[in-house]
Amino acid sequence: MLWREGSVAVVHRPRYDDWSLPKGKLDDGETVPAAAVREVLEETGFRAVLGRYLCQVSYRAFGRPKVVDYFSARVESGAFAPNDEVDELRWVPVAEASALVTSDTDRSVLAAFAAEPADLATLLLVRHAKAGKRDNWPGDDDLRPLSSAGWRQAGGLRSMLPLWGPTRVHSAPRVRCVETVQGVAEDLGVGVLLEPRLSEEGYWPDREAGLVRLLEIADGAGTPVVCSQGGVIPDIVATLADLGGVSLSGTPCKKGSAWLLAFRRAEPGWSTSDSHTSWPRLVSAHYFPTALPKPTT
């Protein structure tokens, strides 16, 4: 769902003579978020920065099932020029777009987009990549590094996470956590900010302080990446979902996975406790079990 201030993009596809939202197919060796950004660029000429996950829709086209994942996607740069797939693009308000698009599935995506403000704050919460078995590491567990499989996972994260335009990188002070997101930080030209409250040892003695620290990070400028551990992330996601009224079917947390969290900015009257301090409120949470593309068959 490509958007800019006050309007969304709707495209005309001459092959089908319909008005549609930009979408397309995965290339071999491509993740869903990468395909979303590439297809938007190819169809519209605009480079986009991804935001919250919107929904997944399923339908049949020419007798074959299709499944499409949609993200909010803010225009970063570019300009439209007619091409083989799209001969016209219109920037229209959501209500006008709903009347213009041909399919009901596109209308359902527009409704999901309109359910929350377009410019929500987003945060990428990552579990560190594989680091071998603790029992096989003879030294201080804090210093246990990534395994070869972990470095491959870190490489996938290095490719996928920039699609959301991150500006800051935070990590629990464990070598395996820092190494997981070090490449993202290097590509941004920033350092990794250490977060003791978001390690297992730092989080559990004072859960509320850990939650507050995560919300402080979310409430800052830009989009942060935060790397933590499997003993912390499920509790953070479940607690924030409960506080925000977000329904989740579970809080999985595989090594090298990521949660895309979207927040409304701080609102008076909402807090993590009975205090009057207000914090961002979680409105959307989407899980990526891996940042690596599916193997081709």
Side-chain angles (χ1 to χ4, degrees):
M1 170 70 67
L2 186 65
W3 68 275
R4 62 187 187 187
E5 191 64 34
S7 59
V8 297
V10 180
V11 298
H12 182 261
R13 302 183 299 176
R15 178 182 177 185
Y16 306 108
D17 189 23
D18 69 353
W19 287 94
S20 173
L21 303 175
K23 55 180 171 285
K25 300 177 181 178
L26 270 70
D27 286 344
D28 289 342
E30 189 174 46
T31 62
V32 169
V37 171
R38 176 186 54 77
E39 284 286 352
V40 164
L41 177 62
E42 291 178 357
E43 290 194 1
T44 71
F46 290 98
R47 296 188 181 277
V49 174
L50 296 181
R52 70 183 172 104
Y53 181 82
L54 295 177
C55 60
Q56 183 181 85
V57 299
S58 303
Y59 58 95
R60 298 188 70 84
F62 303 102
R64 304 175 69 177
K66 294 194 70 174
V67 177
V68 184
D69 291 278
Y70 285 91
F71 299 83
S72 173
R74 173 178 54 82
V75 167
E76 183 177 45
S77 62
F80 174 72
N83 55 73
D84 291 341
E85 295 185 72
V86 174
D87 61 356
E88 185 177 353
L89 180 150
R90 294 183 186 176
W91 288 104
V92 294
V94 170
E96 188 174 334
S98 294
L100 179 61
V101 295
T102 303
S103 74
D104 288 338
T105 55
D106 281 352
R107 275 183 275 277
S108 71
V109 177
L110 286 160
F113 175 78
E116 295 290 345
D119 58 346
L120 295 172
T122 52
L123 180 148
L124 294 150
L125 183 57
V126 178
R127 184 180 177 186
H128 69 76
K130 293 180 178 179
K133 293 184 178 179
R134 180 177 302 188
D135 292 344
N136 295 337
W137 175 250
D140 184 342
D141 188 60
D142 291 357
L143 304 179
R144 180 156 49 100
L146 296 185
S147 63
S148 57
W151 281 112
R152 287 193 294 274
Q153 291 177 318
L157 290 163
R158 188 174 188 171
S159 297
M160 188 180 82
L161 299 182
L163 299 171
W164 282 269
T167 53
R168 295 174 283 125
V169 180
H170 303 251
S171 175
R174 302 287 179 270
V175 166
R176 55 193 178 275
C177 294
V178 173
E179 287 182 339
T180 297
V181 292
Q182 184 70 56
V184 178
E186 289 175 358
D187 292 342
L188 292 174
V190 301
V192 177
L193 303 172
L194 299 183
E195 301 292 345
R197 289 283 189 189
L198 299 178
S199 68
E200 290 173 348
E201 292 81 1
Y203 179 78
W204 285 105
D206 191 342
R207 289 175 62 246
E208 183 164 327
L211 288 166
V212 166
R213 180 58 193 142
L214 192 282
L215 291 171
E216 287 175 342
I217 294 170
D219 204 30
T223 297
V225 170
V226 180
C227 188
S228 185
Q229 298 176 265
V232 174
I233 292 172
D235 189 73
I236 284 180
V237 174
T239 302
L240 293 178
D242 184 57
L243 290 167
V246 176
S247 177
L248 298 177
S249 59
T251 53
C253 187
K254 294 174 62 176
K255 291 176 181 176
S257 65
W259 278 93
L260 170 61
L261 306 179
F263 298 85
R264 281 181 178 259
R265 295 290 184 180
E267 300 172 352
W270 185 88
S271 70
T272 59
S273 67
D274 293 332
S275 70
H276 296 292
T277 304
S278 60
W279 297 104
R281 178 172 63 85
L282 186 73
V283 298
S284 172
H286 181 70
Y287 179 66
F288 297 98
T290 179
L292 297 172
K294 293 181 178 179
T296 56
T297 56

